[in-house]
Amino acid sequence: MAPAAPSPSLLSRVQAPLQDFLRPAMWIPGMRMLRYAWEEWEVKQMDPDACRAKMVDVLRQLQLDSGLMGYKLKVVNPDGGATDVLTVRCFSPTIEFLDVVEVSFAGAGLGTCVRVRSFSTGLAPTLFPLAPLLSAVFFWVPFMGNDSEGMTNPRRVRLLREAFEQKTGSELVVTSTSST
């Protein structure tokens, strides 16, 4: 097993919750599509609780894999708590741009609908002081949401789907997607 990826800097860990909450890059509907991707999957023969547990396992494994897209991952709410949404903060390797992946689960009995969203939160990397404020001020500036490693949100969603399929061995059907 590869050594764990380094954790985000202290400044990024402090600023990330606010940038995640504000999400200024998502404020303008037309421009947000430059840096936003989503898919819905139907997972047959697995209830939402089991599906959530498997996804947490997948996310923890990806978090340990330092080769995962060159990203530093932080699973914000791995136990689900009162929410049915898992939130993962992804920091780019060098200057720590913050992208968020949200995974939600719905269904009853066997069969679960999983919705995965991945998006960039702002123009300013969280390694810069006052990044949430800068991102809020410059929310109108268009950017593609790619990092120096070429990671895009559609690619991140696809990689998560593939890792989930491999881990569970379940029949998974993509029912809708933002990709063409």
Side-chain angles (χ1 to χ4, degrees):
M1 180 191 305
S7 60
S9 66
L10 176 62
L11 186 57
S12 288
R13 289 192 312 263
V14 168
Q15 295 188 116
L18 180 58
Q19 184 135 327
D20 181 7
F21 175 76
L22 292 175
R23 300 176 178 179
M26 302 298 287
W27 290 353
I28 300 177
M31 287 175 48
R32 85 175 88 179
M33 297 313 289
L34 294 173
R35 50 196 163 261
Y36 175 74
W38 61 269
E39 284 185 357
E40 284 187 5
W41 316 328
E42 183 181 332
V43 182
K44 298 179 186 287
Q45 304 302 317
M46 193 178 294
D47 66 51
D49 291 334
C51 205
R52 183 181 306 104
K54 290 287 188 186
M55 183 61 75
V56 169
D57 290 345
V58 167
L59 291 170
R60 285 187 175 143
Q61 184 58 45
L62 293 176
Q63 192 172 10
L64 294 174
D65 181 6
S66 63
L68 169 73
M69 308 176 283
Y71 272 73
K72 304 168 187 175
L73 299 179
K74 177 164 177 39
V75 181
V76 178
N77 52 348
D79 298 323
T83 181
D84 286 329
V85 178
L86 295 174
T87 303
V88 182
R89 294 188 182 132
C90 305
F91 298 88
S92 63
T94 51
I95 59 174
E96 301 181 357
F97 284 103
L98 176 63
D99 290 348
V100 172
V101 177
E102 293 179 334
V103 185
S104 60
F105 308 89
L110 291 179
T112 302
C113 178
V114 179
R115 182 174 175 106
V116 179
R117 299 179 344 133
S118 180
F119 51 88
S120 302
T121 59
L123 181 64
T126 56
L127 189 60
F128 291 179
L130 303 174
L133 176 63
L134 291 170
S135 289
V137 168
F138 294 106
F139 75 96
W140 53 272
V141 175
F143 65 96
M144 290 298 292
N146 297 349
D147 71 7
S148 60
E149 305 297 317
M151 176 50 60
T152 62
N153 289 304
R155 182 170 171 232
R156 187 178 298 111
V157 169
R158 181 181 49 79
L159 290 173
L160 184 57
R161 176 176 26 89
E162 291 169 355
F164 184 79
E165 284 178 314
Q166 183 178 18
K167 174 79 173 176
T168 63
S170 296
E171 181 183 346
L172 185 145
V173 178
V174 177
T175 57
S176 60
T177 180
S178 62
S179 304
T180 55

